[in-house]
Amino acid sequence: MKDPIIQTFELSKVYKKSHLWKSKTTVGLSQVNLTIGKQEIFGLLGQNGAGKTTALKLILGLLFPTQGSIHLFDRKMPDRASIQKTGFVPEVPYFPKYLTVKEVLYFYGALSGVSNSDLKSRSSEILQLMKMEEHQNKRVRECSKGMLQRLSLAQSLIHNPSLLVLDEPITGLDPLGLNEMRDLIARLNAQGKTILFSSHILAEVERIAHRVGILVDGKLVKVLEAKDWSSKSGALEEIYIDTVRQYGVTDSL
């Protein structure tokens, strides 16, 4: 693939838990090989416990692999320069409740290395992009679920990253919030950003992803292109269900 932004090679993660004289191992990810190209929107699909969050955290350097390696921007991780070009939105965003929206952006901008001289203009630009100008002085404790999701995305953009990694960015949003988040992702992609995200909402994934990967029990079992599901509405859901059943998964509870 031309201009790879993310590459994983035999990427594996095994969790070990010990209690008294017993130990238990759980496979979080198993020998995943994946390449994501420049300005691609890639969706990572899988049931709870399939390895989506583990994969994202490994790519970000928040976890260390048991086996294999990761390259971001053609540089082997961990690599500070690559991380500085990356923005992250966690599944459950948390910000100090006493800060205002603007203060959150200033705080994360400073952490991300944005100079004091650029913070004001950059924050204003992001607030405008996220349609949050009128809420900039609102405190975090006063923000709705949708507003917190937008704020989380805003903080990930404050240093103008080339790569965005989003963990379940649309979970819990109402229809209006879904529409706004979808439009934001499309606009950011049009600006040249590469986007890797995980989601359970297949109908939304169908509408925004260029490719998707399906994880089952930590293994990347299938990678699809938009043309594979674009023939009819709901096709991605059918492919996804058939795939997880093919690999013996019958119950998500």
Side-chain angles (χ1 to χ4, degrees):
M1 179 179 289
K2 185 179 179 181
D3 296 326
I5 298 298
I6 300 173
Q7 293 173 289
T8 70
F9 304 93
E10 299 294 312
L11 187 61
S12 302
K13 178 64 178 180
V14 177
Y15 297 100
K16 294 183 179 180
K17 290 184 179 180
S18 298
H19 180 67
L20 298 177
W21 61 90
K22 295 181 180 180
S23 63
K24 180 183 179 181
T25 60
T26 303
V27 176
L29 212 64
S30 179
Q31 298 180 324
V32 169
N33 294 290
L34 177 64
T35 300
I36 298 173
K38 184 177 181 179
Q39 207 171 344
E40 184 172 13
I41 302 178
F42 191 97
L44 206 54
L45 307 179
Q47 295 180 286
N48 293 331
K52 301 188 301 299
T53 297
T54 294
L56 299 186
K57 287 184 176 180
L58 286 167
I59 288 168
L60 290 163
L62 299 175
L63 292 175
F64 292 100
T66 305
Q67 177 186 324
S69 61
I70 307 115
H71 285 68
L72 291 188
F73 303 97
D74 262 343
R75 297 170 69 99
K76 187 175 181 180
M77 291 288 286
D79 177 71
R80 183 181 294 273
S82 297
I83 288 299
Q84 288 177 335
K85 294 191 285 186
T86 303
F88 174 51
V89 175
E91 180 178 2
V92 182
Y94 175 80
F95 308 106
K97 297 184 184 300
Y98 55 85
L99 293 180
T100 66
V101 166
K102 184 195 289 188
E103 288 170 343
V104 168
L105 294 185
Y106 272 61
F107 176 73
Y108 280 93
L111 283 180
S112 301
V114 181
S115 66
N116 289 334
S117 59
D118 291 337
L119 260 178
K120 184 176 181 180
S121 61
R122 185 62 187 155
S123 295
S124 295
E125 181 182 339
I126 294 298
L127 286 168
Q128 185 176 6
L129 173 69
M130 306 299 294
K131 299 179 181 178
M132 297 182 73
E133 304 104 308
E134 64 183 273
H135 303 295
Q136 60 184 297
N137 295 316
K138 182 174 288 188
R139 298 197 182 278
V140 168
R141 62 172 171 264
E142 301 170 324
C143 292
S144 65
K145 167 73 174 178
M147 197 177 298
L148 285 174
Q149 286 290 82
R150 280 193 283 169
L151 180 56
S152 188
L153 183 55
Q155 64 78 25
S156 76
L157 295 168
I158 193 67
H159 58 302
N160 195 25
S162 300
L163 169 65
L164 283 173
V165 178
L166 317 176
D167 193 1
E168 302 284 354
I170 54 181
T171 297
L173 297 182
D174 60 26
L176 181 59
L178 284 172
N179 183 69
E180 290 177 346
M181 187 62 72
R182 185 196 316 130
D183 287 348
L184 277 169
I185 289 173
R187 272 190 283 158
L188 292 168
N189 181 243
Q191 292 174 8
K193 299 189 188 301
T194 303
I195 299 170
L196 168 63
F197 73 102
S198 65
S199 180
H200 286 102
I201 305 176
L202 299 182
E204 290 300 315
V205 176
E206 276 189 328
R207 301 175 73 166
I208 60 175
H210 300 146
R211 288 194 302 151
V212 302
I214 299 175
L215 284 168
V216 179
D217 292 335
K219 297 178 181 179
L220 184 64
V221 298
K222 186 170 288 187
V223 175
L224 303 164
E225 298 181 8
K227 64 182 181 181
D228 296 321
W229 69 77
S230 59
S231 59
K232 65 173 182 175
S233 178
L236 180 57
E237 181 177 4
E238 292 180 12
I239 296 170
Y240 172 78
I241 291 172
D242 288 345
T243 299
V244 296
R245 284 177 175 168
Q246 177 186 344
Y247 285 87
V249 179
T250 58
D251 191 354
S252 62
L253 298 179

